[in-house]
Every structure is written in structure tokens, then in C-alpha cells.
Amino acid sequence: MSAGAGMNSETEIKLRRYKNNLAIGGRYYIIFGVWTVVKLLMELTMGDLSFEYLIEETVKSGVDRLFAIIITAVFIGILFAFILIVHLVVGRNVARFVKRHDNRKRFYTYTSIVTIVNCLGFLTYPADIMTGVSSLSLTFIASLLVDISVIFILIDLFYSAVMIEKLIKQKPAVEGV
Amino acid sequence: MQEDFHYYATYCAAYLSGYSHSESLDICYSAQFVDLCSATYLTGIKAPAQAATTQLQMEMMNTRTDVTGLQNITRIWAPFHFLPRDLYATKDKKRPKKYMNKYRLICGPNGALVKDIVELAKGKPLQSVGIAMHVLADTWAHRNFAGTPSLVINNTDDEFYEFIAGEDGEQKRKIKFQHSLSAPDDLDKSIYTSSLYQRNEKNIMNLGHGRAGHLPDYSFIKYMYLPAWDDYRVMIKDNPSDYRHAFCQMIYAMKFIRGEIDSFETDVYDFAAIKDYEERIDGILRKRQLSASSDWKAFGEDLSGESIEDFDVNKYQKEYVDAPKDEKAGTFYGLFIDGAIAHKGLVCDRIYQSGNKLVGFVQEMKND
């Protein structure tokens, strides 16, 4: 009933734990992409920045109404696709790093970019409050909490990846492999 | 475990422990009946549903997973199929009581409860012996899973590997799981059926070894996996070895029940009883097949020189249904029902006395 020698060493157990952290984080990031699209969709249908408002603004610049509708829809479609693709690419890179560990550079580059973007985006919260664009509503707080958790997940991705690399380097020395 | 072990192998163990052919048949019938005695079946013959020793898929689908529903499920699966190994088990890191209650229901061999249930069967009808043997055997097959729906305990990840014995020693092969109940397991390609992953902690899919499919029920398989409860430690489950231990412990336990041995101790096995059949038993246990019934049956018939009839779930149904009300208790099913209720009462009482409320409020009824 016992496992083979070294299979349950402290190093192997830690490796599995950090790999699991990474896998969950990667999946969460993909789900977060879907959530971002849903949030934007809600904003466009029920928020101040509605679909109609965007069309009216486009019409004001002197284009035909039908053309304004098409251009707005295409723009929103591209935006949604871009958001989903970015999250999917980052998430899949995390999964690949966990399984094959052959995309080190890409993993760190992509994760760094999205972490910086998310941190910058996070700065809009205090700015919005100070300029009066947003108030401390429940929606605002919920959105804030989601963004905090995303930043936390991204930092955890980095931490887990670094720990995995450290443990892999340690492995031969510790276990004589 | 399935019919091959609970019926045919139990017959062999009973015969090797000294029971006659007909006594062995009664014992193995009762052992196998534990897997079929559902509330639906009992209601159909107007017997008390509280004696149910299993639940049908349909019954489970209709069971709500609220507190009472979960207690009903646990009251059947923990005593009869996943006997807890240690009701007072501890973990290195402190965990919430809610978690620990489930953790302490993890099944395993040689726990204090095994001794209790074997001692309970001593001096009782053969039906009780059969029930005890079913439960004892399952402690080996179902070890490391709990008889209560729980994701944090019973879940596994996808990294399952099977060890295939070959000329160059054991080879590791990845196991693939499918979730279609109608598709048979493909032993050549290591494709097995398991329950679907469900995020809900109390979902019925997270009961027992559902997430590992039928792997625990096959005697031939040796596999490696990551159980959710063991903090990222890999587990290697060696079924041929476990089933051999189960077989020899059954012989030892039945010798105790028959009065050949004064006391029953855990972690004792009657390996001497199978000395002359070691190779044949090992061959049956390691043969890659979905059911080993025909091999065990042939072995049993060679042992006793008698024919072993196929298992017929309704064999004693007419006797019970036709018996007058005051004589039902003396019928085969009547004795099985008494044995099942006594067994359930003892195990649930022990669980409740340990401070674990997952089986609800239970008190064992002690008869003279």
C-alpha cells in the first residue's frame, strides 16, 4: 500500500502542490476572461455605457446610422474575442508549463504582461472614486474584490512557478536522481 | 468487490475454514446478498426497509443530499461497504471538525470495528457470518475511500497509472476514464468507467470509490493514484496482495466464529490454510478479467467436490413471502434482516459514540 521510494518525498509532495496551484490558477484565469466578457455585456445592456449610447456617439461623428450599428457591433465583437483569446492563451500556457515545462519564456512573458495590465487597471478604482465616476456601490465592491483576487492569483502563479523551478533544480541533489 | 469474490471466493474461504458445503453456500449467499438488499427490494417483499444493506442507482438519485439524506446514505454505505478504519484518526495539520468527521470514515482493514463486527457474528446464524465476511472483504478492496459523499475525501485527480506485469518487470500505463455507464471497461487499453467530476462536496457522485471507477473491485489490478485526502501523497493500491489478505483473514475470522480459535485479533491471516492452493489462488487473483467468477467457482467445486449453484437473488424470496407473519423471523431472509439490523446498529452506534454525527443519532439495541 506504500508508494515507491522517493515518490512521496517532501520535494515530490511540494512539487505536486505547486503544480496543482498553477493548474487551478490557470483555469481560474480562463474563467475570469468569461466573467470579464459577461461584465462588459451587462454594462452594455444595463449600464451607463450602453450599446445605444455608443451608437449615438458614432452617429454624432457624421456616419450613417446603419453603418454606426455595424461598426459598433464589430468593434464590441472584436473586443470580446480579444479578451477571451488573451485569457485563453495565458491559461493554456499555464497548463502547458504545468504539464511539459517547455514554455518557460512564454509563460513568464505572458503572465508578466497580464499582471502589469491588471495592476494598472486596478489603479482606476481609487481614481474613479476620487473623480466621482463611481460610487461605493455593491457592484463596485464586488468588482473590486474580483480584481483583487485575480491579482492575487497572478502573483500566486509566479510564486508557484518559481517554487517549481527551485524544486526541480533541488531534486537531483536531494534524491540522488 | 463483486460477485466473484463475495459469492464464490467467500464460499471457498468458508469451506477452507471448516464449514460444510451447504453452510458455505448460505454464508456466501448472504455475503453477496449484501450488494442487492436494497430498500426497494425489501419493500417489494414487505420486509422492513431499515434492513437495507445497499442502495440502487435510482434510489440514490432520488435521495436528497440534505442532512437527513446524507445520514441515510452514510448509515448504509459506511457500515456495509466502507467500514471505517479509525474513528478517532488524527491529521498532522489541524482541520475543521466537519472535515475530520468525514476523514474518520475512511475505510481500511484491521480497524477496531473489524474486530467488533466479527465478534458480533459469533454465535449468530450463518446469515450474520455472511454479512460480516462481506464487510471484512470490502475493508481491503475499498480502503482509502469513505462511505459518505465527499469531494474532499473521495475525489482523485486524472493521474491514474496501472502497473502491468511483463517480461521486463512492471510497466506503468496511464489509465483513461470514461463516464458512460453502459460502456464496459476495456482492460487491454486501460479504459475504465468512473463517476463524473462534481464540484459539489456532497454530490452523490462523490460517494465511495465512484471517482476511481471499478478499479478497487478488480482483484488483478495494481494501480497508482492521488487521493484527495492524503495531502498530495501518491498511493499505490496492490489489489492481488490485498485480496489475498482479505481471503486469508476471512478464513481466520470464520475459524474464530466456528469456535476453532478463542479470540479474533486484527492483522492475523490464515496463510497456512491456502498453502496447498497458493499458486492457483494467485493465478485467479492476477488474471486480467472483468469477472473471476468461473475461476473461483471451479476452485470451490474442486475443494468441496460439490456443485456450486449460480447466485439467484430470489432464492429465498418465496419462503419469506409465504411465511406467516410470526414465522418470518425464522426464514432465511428473516435471519438476514436481523443480522443486517444488528450489524448496522453496532457500526452506527460506534460512529455516533465517537462524536461523529454523520450517521445521525443512533443507539445500538442490545439483545440478550
Side-chain angles (χ1 to χ4, degrees), chain A residues 1-4 7-8 13 16-17 20, chain B residues 143-144 224 226 231-236:
Chain A
M1 211 34 222
S2 59
M7 221 179 258
N8 282 335
I13 290 170
R16 280 183 213 119
R17 177 169 289 142
N20 192 45
Chain B
R143 66 196 296 181
N144 303 319
M224 188 176 105
L226 206 63
D231 302 326
Y232 297 96
R233 281 184 198 92
V234 164
M235 191 80 72
I236 293 179

Side-chain angles (χ1 to χ4, degrees), chain B residues 6-250:
Chain B
H6 285 314
Y7 188 65
Y8 295 105
T10 303
Y11 171 91
C12 301
Y15 195 81
L16 284 170
S17 71
Y19 283 107
S20 69
H21 165 67
S22 64
E23 287 171 332
S24 301
L25 273 182
D26 285 351
I27 290 170
C28 71
Y29 180 90
S30 305
Q32 173 60 13
F33 192 55
V34 171
D35 271 344
L36 297 143
C37 183
S38 63
T40 306
Y41 187 84
L42 289 167
T43 311
I45 57 168
K46 295 191 170 63
Q50 71 187 95
T53 56
T54 192
Q55 284 183 301
L56 303 174
Q57 292 262 348
M58 283 303 291
E59 289 174 359
M60 285 196 285
M61 293 299 169
N62 290 331
T63 306
R64 288 168 54 172
T65 46
D66 55 11
V67 177
T68 323
L70 284 171
Q71 287 171 351
N72 286 336
I73 293 167
T74 312
R75 270 202 294 265
I76 289 175
W77 291 95
F80 292 107
H81 307 278
F82 295 88
L83 194 71
R85 177 173 34 207
D86 184 359
L87 293 173
Y88 302 90
T90 53
K91 281 208 110 177
D92 301 340
K93 283 181 192 163
K94 199 169 160 49
R95 299 290 181 111
K97 191 164 170 28
K98 230 177 176 178
Y99 175 89
M100 289 309 292
N101 281 345
K102 292 170 187 172
Y103 177 75
R104 286 169 179 154
L105 289 191
I106 293 174
C107 173
N110 293 316
L113 279 171
V114 171
K115 188 173 162 68
D116 290 342
I117 61 146
V118 171
E119 285 173 348
L120 179 75
K122 192 178 168 78
K124 299 275 181 358
L126 296 172
Q127 289 78 356
S128 298
V129 181
I131 294 168
M133 290 310 106
H134 179 109
V135 178
L136 182 152
D138 271 355
T139 60
W140 289 92
H142 297 170
R143 66 196 296 181
N144 303 319
F145 293 99
T148 193
S150 170
L151 182 76
V152 293
I153 300 294
N154 292 326
N155 192 30
T156 61
D157 72 350
D158 293 332
E159 297 296 301
F160 267 80
Y161 294 92
E162 185 176 358
F163 294 94
I164 312 275
E167 285 172 9
D168 309 324
E170 281 179 337
Q171 301 290 320
K172 228 166 75 172
R173 186 159 79 189
K174 179 108 167 69
I175 286 175
K176 202 178 156 204
F177 282 112
Q178 58 186 4
H179 307 298
S180 161
L181 282 174
S182 57
D185 289 346
D186 186 339
L187 307 186
D188 296 331
K189 293 178 184 158
S190 293
I191 301 173
Y192 299 92
T193 300
S194 73
S195 64
L196 270 171
Y197 172 73
Q198 292 290 333
R199 291 171 69 89
N200 185 338
E201 163 67 10
K202 296 167 188 168
N203 191 288
I204 202 71
M205 296 284 183
N206 299 321
L207 170 69
H209 62 77
R211 293 284 296 138
H214 280 300
L215 300 192
D217 292 328
Y218 295 133
S219 67
F220 65 84
I221 198 167
K222 182 179 173 185
Y223 58 100
M224 188 176 105
Y225 72 108
L226 206 63
W229 58 266
D230 205 16
D231 302 326
Y232 297 96
R233 281 184 198 92
V234 164
M235 191 80 72
I236 293 179
K237 176 83 163 71
D238 186 355
N239 279 4
S241 166
D242 281 355
Y243 276 54
R244 181 173 170 269
H245 280 83
F247 190 73
C248 294
Q249 195 172 42
M250 282 202 296

Side-chain angles (χ1 to χ4, degrees), chain A residues 55-76:
Chain A
I55 293 166
E56 290 309 324
E57 287 298 305
T58 317
V59 170
K60 272 183 204 168
S61 64
V63 295
D64 179 62
R65 190 168 182 80
L66 182 66
F67 184 71
I69 292 172
I70 293 168
I71 205 97
T72 310
V74 168
F75 174 75
I76 289 166

Side-chain angles (χ1 to χ4, degrees), chain A residues 2-168:
Chain A
S2 59
M7 221 179 258
N8 282 335
S9 66
E10 205 52 39
T11 314
E12 287 293 344
I13 290 170
K14 278 184 183 167
L15 256 176
R16 280 183 213 119
R17 177 169 289 142
Y18 289 124
K19 279 185 177 180
N20 192 45
N21 271 5
L22 268 183
I24 292 171
R27 255 176 267 157
Y28 180 88
Y29 195 71
I30 294 173
I31 294 168
F32 177 68
V34 179
W35 153 253
T36 309
V37 169
V38 171
K39 198 173 79 171
L40 270 176
L41 202 64
M42 280 158 63
E43 188 72 28
L44 285 170
T45 49
M46 293 176 276
D48 295 336
L49 197 74
S50 68
F51 193 61
E52 287 81 12
Y53 172 79
L54 290 175
I55 293 166
E56 290 309 324
E57 287 298 305
T58 317
V59 170
K60 272 183 204 168
S61 64
V63 295
D64 179 62
R65 190 168 182 80
L66 182 66
F67 184 71
I69 292 172
I70 293 168
I71 205 97
T72 310
V74 168
F75 174 75
I76 289 166
I78 291 170
L79 182 69
F80 282 3
F82 177 74
I83 292 167
L84 285 175
I85 287 167
V86 165
H87 284 81
L88 206 64
V89 166
V90 173
R92 284 180 68 91
N93 255 286
V94 174
R96 191 177 170 129
F97 186 84
V98 174
K99 279 200 172 163
R100 294 191 230 163
H101 205 261
D102 60 355
N103 58 338
R104 204 175 164 270
K105 260 189 189 167
R106 234 182 304 159
F107 167 81
Y108 281 115
T109 312
Y110 289 174
T111 315
S112 303
I113 292 169
V114 291
T115 307
I116 292 165
V117 170
N118 272 278
C119 286
L120 290 175
F122 187 72
L123 294 176
T124 60
Y125 284 101
D128 283 355
I129 288 290
M130 281 189 281
T131 54
V133 174
S134 299
S135 59
L136 266 175
S137 63
L138 275 177
T139 319
F140 180 86
I141 293 167
S143 187
L144 180 76
L145 289 175
V146 170
D147 282 343
I148 290 173
S149 67
V150 171
I151 291 170
F152 176 79
I153 296 281
L154 288 168
I155 292 168
D156 192 48
L157 286 182
F158 275 115
Y159 177 72
S160 299
V162 169
M163 289 307 287
I164 286 170
E165 297 204 318
K166 207 171 139 188
L167 288 166
I168 288 173

Side-chain angles (χ1 to χ4, degrees), chain B residues 78-79 83-84 87 113 117 342-352:
Chain B
L83 194 71
L87 293 173
L113 279 171
I117 61 146
H343 175 93
K344 192 188 279 189
L346 176 127
V347 177
C348 291
D349 177 63
R350 295 286 189 280
I351 295 172
Y352 174 69

